[in-house]
Amino acid sequence: MQTDPDQIAMMSAAQDLISRDIVLRLFEDAVPQLYAFDAVTFKLISANNAARRFLGKDMRHLRNRAPWDIWDGLAQSRVRSLCRRIRLRSLLRVSFPIGIESPTSAVLAVSIDYQISDKPTFVVSVRDVTKQSAIKRDAAVAKDRLTTAINALSDGFVLYDADDRLTLCNDTYRQLYATSADAMVPGATFEDILRYGLDRGQYAQATGCEESWLQERLAAHVAGDIDVEQQLSDGRWLRIVERPTSDGGRVGLRVDITALKEQQSKLNKMLQTDDLTGLRNRFGLANEMAALSDGLKQKERIAVLHIDLDRFKSVNDVFGHAAGDFVLRTCADILSGGPVPPRIAARVGGDEFISVLVTRKSRAEILRYAAQISKRLSDPIPFDGHQCNIGASIGIAFVQKPGEQAASDALIAADIALNQAKRGADQNIVIFEPKMREATVRNSGLAQQMQTGIQRGEFTPYFQPQVNARSGHVKGFEALIRWIPQEGKPTPAAEFLAVAQNAGLTEVLDEIVMDQSCLAVRKLIDWGVKDPCISLNMSMLQVADPNLVHRLGGYMKKHGVKHRHLRIELLESTLLDERSSHIIENVHRMIEAGFRVELDDFGTGHAAIATLRKFAVSQIKIDRSLVRHIDQDDELQTITGAIVDLAQSLGISVLAEGVETQAEQDMLLSFNCDAAQGYLHAKPMPLSELKDYLIGRGDIRVH
């Protein structure tokens, strides 16, 4: 009978277990791998079903093997050392993991127990923990990767648990909150960390209101989703984004937005700053004015000076825009500097500025301050070998009480006062008075009516004859703009010319006068008048236009008239203003082109002799103030007689204007002043009436 070696080995092993007091069934069917080794020889006595399946070997191949022969990942020296300690009772049980490569790659959890009997035994329990180890390893790797990723974030990351205690934060978070970094230990509460930084001045927005700021921040922290901005005391800005987690904790990011804030600040500054001068623009002025007004202290008020540069357009026209830009920058430096720099200096228009003071000075002191500014702005400004001469008109208003509306009203009031200053002949600095607002409203309505009137053709020149008082013949005409509304009465020029200038309508009116005057000359020629002549009044603004000769030339060509048919009538003050060198140059160009120049309002107190020597003046017009009642006033007779003698000695014609009585005319004739203009001879009349007037006087014949 043949015997089965495996069966013999199993029986032998079972007998050996029984002899060693080991319950065979429990050993054989146990779930973990069980191995029994002789405690002296370290040879395998038995391995249960689980062990044999794992190793893939039967007892015939396993029996009498040592542990280090069974598991290649187990060192013999280590096993002997551990077992010796167990036998000496220094250890009751030993557990440790090992990694093996055969029969398959695995991670085993090994436990060794010592069984004391006649035959001491080591019972070894082995569990395959490859999967659990892989899971732990993957979790550890994932955790390491997450930690690495969080630390690599350019933004600060923080995590709090359900008790609002710090779980983790990355290095960036600690760097952003460097002042309170020492308090950022796991388990520290959010409030503790916040207070730590607050006590050390970390939060700029909390200065002066620390406790209320803290309570608001804590309330926001637990309220839900957060997306706010926070400024730190070192000047940096952070964006705080926080969200609740599913387990009741909080996760947050801190984004450094300092660069963005700086860009926003630069952009905001650009939006509020005039590019050319670096001063505030109108938008920036309004914002700062509102803030200043809100911060007014007791007995303080805001003085608003609205400054308009006189004759600035002429600088651009004559010397070019580079000169104009230079003048504007120079004026900006003047306004923003000085012994008492303004709180705000702004450029609010092409040649308009605002200077704002917060002061306790009186009205008289503010007027003196404004006069100093006006004087400095009137000093010649050198540019590229030229002298740019300007001046300034200034309107002043005050903010007496806090509030954005009060500041806005003051800006409007200063503008109204400025318009008054620009219209006034005797003063260029005006403080706002309530009655001025009524005039502004009235003038605004008048300006709108004028625009409508221009569209309807209601503006036309009237022509007042200039006669030879001895012969009675007409020697020329003066063109005077008139407004004849379709509805209502004619409006005197004195009432609408200043409004037209402020409304920017003077150029349109000039075009009407030049066109219709050239047409009138054409008509006079056609009617048979020999060498007719019409005088055109020119303001300083008109004469400053370098295109004036070209504009006039266009209408002359249109109607077929010559330069000798037109006289340019200028105020004496226009030529005597030393700041108007470019205007004088323009006058010389007009004379060279063939126009004749007359001086109007002569003898009103200016340096007349200097004017007559400086310009090729063809005729002067004695001001009506020297003509009215001349027959009854010895002083007027002396002055007027001297003027006539002076002009005739220089070969200049003299015409007296405003002659209303025969007695006045007779006195003028006694001085050999035979040219006259006034109601005594004729009132201004439209072109349609000129022909009949001339026929009636015999100056033209009826064909």
Short mmCIF file of all heavy atoms in Angstrom, two decimals, residues 393 418-428 430:
data_model
loop_
_atom_site.label_atom_id
_atom_site.label_comp_id
_atom_site.label_asym_id
_atom_site.label_seq_id
_atom_site.Cartn_x
_atom_site.Cartn_y
_atom_site.Cartn_z
N SER A 393 -9.14 137.64 -14.89
CA SER A 393 -10.36 138.09 -14.24
C SER A 393 -10.72 137.03 -13.20
O SER A 393 -10.56 135.83 -13.46
CB SER A 393 -11.50 138.23 -15.26
OG SER A 393 -11.16 139.19 -16.25
N LEU A 418 -17.30 135.65 -11.75
CA LEU A 418 -16.27 135.78 -12.79
C LEU A 418 -16.84 136.46 -14.03
O LEU A 418 -16.20 137.35 -14.61
CB LEU A 418 -15.72 134.40 -13.15
CG LEU A 418 -14.78 134.35 -14.36
CD1 LEU A 418 -13.52 135.15 -14.10
CD2 LEU A 418 -14.43 132.90 -14.71
N ASN A 419 -18.03 136.05 -14.44
CA ASN A 419 -18.65 136.69 -15.60
C ASN A 419 -18.86 138.17 -15.37
O ASN A 419 -18.69 138.99 -16.28
CB ASN A 419 -19.98 136.00 -15.92
CG ASN A 419 -19.79 134.61 -16.48
OD1 ASN A 419 -18.79 134.32 -17.13
ND2 ASN A 419 -20.74 133.72 -16.22
N GLN A 420 -19.21 138.52 -14.15
CA GLN A 420 -19.38 139.93 -13.80
C GLN A 420 -18.04 140.66 -13.90
O GLN A 420 -17.96 141.79 -14.39
CB GLN A 420 -19.94 140.05 -12.38
CG GLN A 420 -20.33 141.46 -11.96
CD GLN A 420 -21.68 141.87 -12.51
OE1 GLN A 420 -22.39 141.04 -13.06
NE2 GLN A 420 -22.02 143.13 -12.37
N ALA A 421 -16.97 140.00 -13.44
CA ALA A 421 -15.64 140.61 -13.49
C ALA A 421 -15.18 140.80 -14.93
O ALA A 421 -14.54 141.81 -15.26
CB ALA A 421 -14.64 139.74 -12.73
N LYS A 422 -15.51 139.87 -15.79
CA LYS A 422 -15.09 139.96 -17.20
C LYS A 422 -15.86 141.06 -17.93
O LYS A 422 -15.35 141.65 -18.88
CB LYS A 422 -15.31 138.62 -17.89
CG LYS A 422 -14.34 137.55 -17.43
CD LYS A 422 -14.79 136.16 -17.80
CE LYS A 422 -14.77 135.93 -19.28
NZ LYS A 422 -15.11 134.51 -19.62
N ARG A 423 -17.08 141.34 -17.47
CA ARG A 423 -17.87 142.40 -18.12
C ARG A 423 -17.49 143.78 -17.61
O ARG A 423 -17.64 144.77 -18.33
CB ARG A 423 -19.36 142.17 -17.88
CG ARG A 423 -19.94 141.03 -18.70
CD ARG A 423 -21.45 141.12 -18.72
NE ARG A 423 -22.03 141.01 -17.39
CZ ARG A 423 -22.39 139.88 -16.84
NH1 ARG A 423 -22.22 138.74 -17.49
NH2 ARG A 423 -22.93 139.85 -15.64
N GLY A 424 -17.01 143.85 -16.37
CA GLY A 424 -16.73 145.15 -15.77
C GLY A 424 -15.48 145.80 -16.35
O GLY A 424 -14.47 145.15 -16.57
N ALA A 425 -15.57 147.07 -16.62
CA ALA A 425 -14.42 147.79 -17.17
C ALA A 425 -13.52 148.34 -16.08
O ALA A 425 -12.35 148.63 -16.33
CB ALA A 425 -14.91 148.94 -18.06
N ASP A 426 -14.06 148.49 -14.87
CA ASP A 426 -13.30 149.15 -13.82
C ASP A 426 -12.69 148.18 -12.81
O ASP A 426 -11.86 148.58 -12.00
CB ASP A 426 -14.18 150.16 -13.07
CG ASP A 426 -15.44 149.50 -12.52
OD1 ASP A 426 -15.78 148.40 -12.99
OD2 ASP A 426 -16.07 150.10 -11.62
N GLN A 427 -13.08 146.94 -12.83
CA GLN A 427 -12.50 145.99 -11.88
C GLN A 427 -12.49 144.59 -12.49
O GLN A 427 -13.39 144.21 -13.22
CB GLN A 427 -13.27 145.99 -10.57
CG GLN A 427 -14.75 145.68 -10.70
CD GLN A 427 -15.48 145.71 -9.38
OE1 GLN A 427 -14.87 145.60 -8.33
NE2 GLN A 427 -16.80 145.87 -9.43
N ASN A 428 -11.44 143.83 -12.17
CA ASN A 428 -11.32 142.48 -12.72
C ASN A 428 -11.45 141.42 -11.63
O ASN A 428 -11.24 140.24 -11.90
CB ASN A 428 -10.00 142.31 -13.46
CG ASN A 428 -8.81 142.40 -12.52
OD1 ASN A 428 -8.89 143.04 -11.47
ND2 ASN A 428 -7.72 141.76 -12.87
N VAL A 430 -14.23 140.26 -8.59
CA VAL A 430 -15.58 140.50 -8.08
C VAL A 430 -15.96 139.39 -7.11
O VAL A 430 -15.74 138.21 -7.40
CB VAL A 430 -16.61 140.56 -9.23
CG1 VAL A 430 -18.03 140.64 -8.70
CG2 VAL A 430 -16.31 141.74 -10.14
#
